Amino acid sequence: MPVEEFVAGWISGALGLVLGHPFDTVKVRLQTQSTYRGIIDCTVKTYRHESILGFFKGMSFPIASIAVVNSVLFGVYSNALLALTATSHHERRLQPPSYTHVFIAGCTGGFLQAYCLAPFDLIKVRLQNQTEPRARQGGPPPRYRGPVHCAASIFQEEGPRGLFRGAWALTLRDTPTLGIYFVSYEWLCRQATPDGQNPSSTTVLVAGGFAGITSWVTATPLDVIKSRMQMAGLGQREYQGLLDCMVSSARQEGLGVFFRGLTINSARAFPVNAVTFLSYEYLLHLWG
Ligand SMILES: CN(C)C(=N)NCCC[C@H](N)C(=O)O
């Protein structure tokens, strides 16, 4: 089994993550708290109350976890394509796989990465939703002192299953949308590249950026539900399941609730995924 895709997936995911984390914090807060009037209001309040550091809350853990998550995504995707088409990464420009194979391989990568991502994503969302400034004297201490304390508290209070809160919504979010992610990337690269040639860096950047936007636009409704289920119980209402969360969110806030965070998700998706795909392709080319 080729392993360079796993390593390239890890490095490229980490680069994209640092670039996109401030956008991600604003998105998570908009989706789960109703105190903000929009992106600008949330950005200004976060900066005033918590300084620039507020935007980077919960980042150390995803950086560590991205090693597992992004390498599982890209490594499983590439190896699933190898199993389906008997072509390695380098042979795929001369013998391009069908879009059906790309979609199946993307869904497989998305499904497996969701289970690795679930506990890390839960901890990230819980930490991002702590709005107490880090160094305030005399104020109430935040519920979680950091990622390890957060993981340990959830484990103690709810057992190992607690760490997988929202995992079902996350799996439903990621399985089809990662198929869409890789199909969009491949389609855009092929439109802009003569047959049999490698796409230019500009093509990879643009195709990666738009693949990120397309997949996140389709992922946003389940992303809202996932974030709400992950926060359930912590001063927010408990849900009986995914369907209950969907129905009661729509009843209380209207159908627009499913598009909360759409603009910020898309603004974040372009640079993150442009950098992710560029560094992924570059590393595989370097090692090829
Ligand atoms: C729509 N979904 C779930 C995705 N496209 N997921 C792939 C993640 C790529 C990148 N690390 C990011 O966070 O955008």
Side-chain angles (χ1 to χ4, degrees):
M1 179 166 72
V3 290
E4 64 266 33
E5 282 94 341
F6 286 94
V7 182
W10 166 46
I11 298 174
S12 60
L15 289 172
L17 184 110
V18 175
L19 201 68
H21 198 77
F23 294 91
D24 195 60
T25 299
V26 174
K27 176 205 82 173
V28 166
R29 290 183 176 190
L30 285 174
Q31 287 179 338
T32 54
Q33 300 179 29
S34 44
T35 41
Y36 304 112
R37 287 194 304 274
I39 296 172
I40 300 197
D41 185 45
C42 179
T43 308
V44 169
K45 282 186 177 148
T46 301
Y47 182 73
R48 278 216 192 113
H49 197 54
E50 301 160 66
S51 84
I52 193 85
L53 294 178
F55 295 100
F56 290 94
K57 275 193 180 157
M59 193 179 77
S60 56
F61 214 50
I63 282 279
S65 63
I66 204 84
V68 183
V69 175
N70 222 59
S71 72
V72 167
L73 173 61
F74 280 84
V76 169
Y77 167 72
S78 194
N79 282 284
L81 265 186
L82 177 66
L84 288 166
T85 65
T87 53
S88 72
H89 181 82
H90 303 289
E91 292 159 345
R92 282 183 208 134
R93 289 294 157 215
L94 283 175
Q95 292 162 265
S98 72
Y99 290 119
T100 311
H101 283 151
V102 172
F103 184 74
I104 296 171
C107 292
T108 312
F111 180 80
L112 290 176
Q113 73 122 39
Y115 265 85
C116 306
L117 176 63
F120 298 118
D121 192 62
L122 173 71
I123 289 158
K124 174 189 77 79
V125 167
R126 293 268 174 107
L127 292 176
Q128 283 174 317
N129 266 311
Q130 296 200 134
T131 49
E132 298 85 356
R134 269 165 209 256
R136 202 171 70 188
Q137 301 273 309
R143 184 183 176 108
Y144 304 120
R145 291 194 295 275
V148 177
H149 180 241
C150 179
S153 310
I154 298 172
F155 190 85
Q156 267 168 11
E157 287 157 22
E158 300 169 52
R161 285 191 64 191
L163 288 168
F164 285 85
R165 217 178 237 271
W168 184 218
L170 183 66
T171 309
L172 284 181
R173 183 197 78 175
D174 283 7
T175 304
T177 55
L178 280 154
I180 294 173
Y181 179 64
F182 286 106
V183 167
S184 319
Y185 174 72
E186 270 303 313
W187 186 80
L188 287 163
C189 281
R190 288 184 205 175
Q191 297 311 303
T193 312
D195 283 352
Q197 284 186 22
N198 282 323
S200 67
S201 304
T202 314
T203 301
V204 171
L205 272 176
V206 174
F210 278 109
I213 293 185
T214 317
S215 62
W216 276 109
V217 166
T218 46
T220 297
L222 275 162
D223 191 45
V224 174
I225 300 305
K226 179 232 32 131
S227 299
R228 288 178 171 217
M229 295 192 68
Q230 289 172 323
M231 288 305 291
L234 286 180
Q236 320 235 352
R237 60 159 294 185
E238 272 285 9
Y239 301 103
Q240 265 144 29
L242 192 123
L243 211 61
D244 178 38
C245 180
M246 281 175 134
V247 172
S248 52
S249 299
R251 272 213 192 113
Q252 280 162 18
E253 295 160 69
L255 287 178
V257 72
F258 295 117
F259 300 98
R260 277 230 197 141
L262 181 71
T263 314
I264 189 97
N265 249 346
S266 310
R268 172 192 164 281
F270 192 92
V272 170
N273 291 288
V275 166
T276 298
F277 271 104
L278 185 67
S279 41
Y280 176 76
E281 296 282 6
Y282 175 78
L283 289 170
L284 286 182
H285 184 73
L286 199 71
W287 298 332

